[in-house]
Amino acid sequence: VQLVESGGGLVQAGGSLRLSCALSGVTFDDYAIGWFRQAPGKEREGLSCVDNSEKTTYYADSVKARFTISTDNAKNTVYLQMNNLKPEDTAVYYCAAINTLYSGTYYWAAADEYDWWGQGTQVTVSS
């Protein structure tokens, strides 16, 4: 399983970015894909998840009014649309995957539930 993130960058407060997570080597519908971020000195934080087998999405309360997760099954890609960005959103953003055929019940926001991770993409929001 390979995950490759893209779409990070530098944006002013109030701006938007769309992150992409492309999966290869898998059957897309067998996986849940989560987005996480980690700022310097802080723990990795679960932001959102899409369970492709259950067609269910999850959001952290801190971002659900501003972030939207979506998928393009034809491209095996998951997106995270981030609007009204704030300086406190500055972090390295990661996508990660769980194979839901074998995982059983999982807690989507727990980083240690995920078996595969992308390399991360930096998001910097200036004030």
Side-chain angles (χ1 to χ4, degrees):
V1 179
Q2 288 188 321
L3 299 90
V4 178
E5 301 105 334
S6 61
L10 174 63
V11 64
Q12 289 188 331
S16 298
L17 284 174
R18 188 178 77 160
L19 305 183
S20 300
C21 175
L23 282 75
S24 60
V26 301
T27 301
F28 197 59
D29 284 350
D30 294 340
Y31 285 79
I33 306 301
W35 282 100
F36 291 77
R37 67 185 177 190
Q38 189 164 21
K42 295 188 176 182
E43 292 188 356
R44 194 162 293 193
E45 177 188 10
L47 304 174
S48 185
C49 175
V50 57
D51 187 319
N52 290 318
S53 61
E54 298 293 332
K55 309 302 181 190
T56 303
T57 57
Y58 306 91
Y59 293 95
D61 288 343
S62 59
V63 302
K64 64 181 178 180
R66 300 184 295 125
F67 292 7
T68 303
I69 196 168
S70 63
T71 63
D72 184 334
N73 288 14
K75 296 182 178 180
N76 272 20
T77 299
V78 178
Y79 302 100
L80 186 69
Q81 177 68 42
M82 307 187 295
N83 298 327
N84 191 22
L85 285 162
K86 304 174 182 181
E88 51 264 42
D89 294 317
T90 295
V92 178
Y93 284 68
Y94 300 89
C95 62
I98 299 172
N99 187 320
T100 55
L101 290 180
Y102 303 107
S103 66
T105 301
Y106 64 94
Y107 177 45
W108 72 267
D112 59 5
E113 295 271 22
Y114 291 78
D115 298 310
W116 297 277
W117 290 81
Q119 81 285 358
T121 186
Q122 176 71 44
V123 171
T124 303
V125 184
S126 63
S127 57

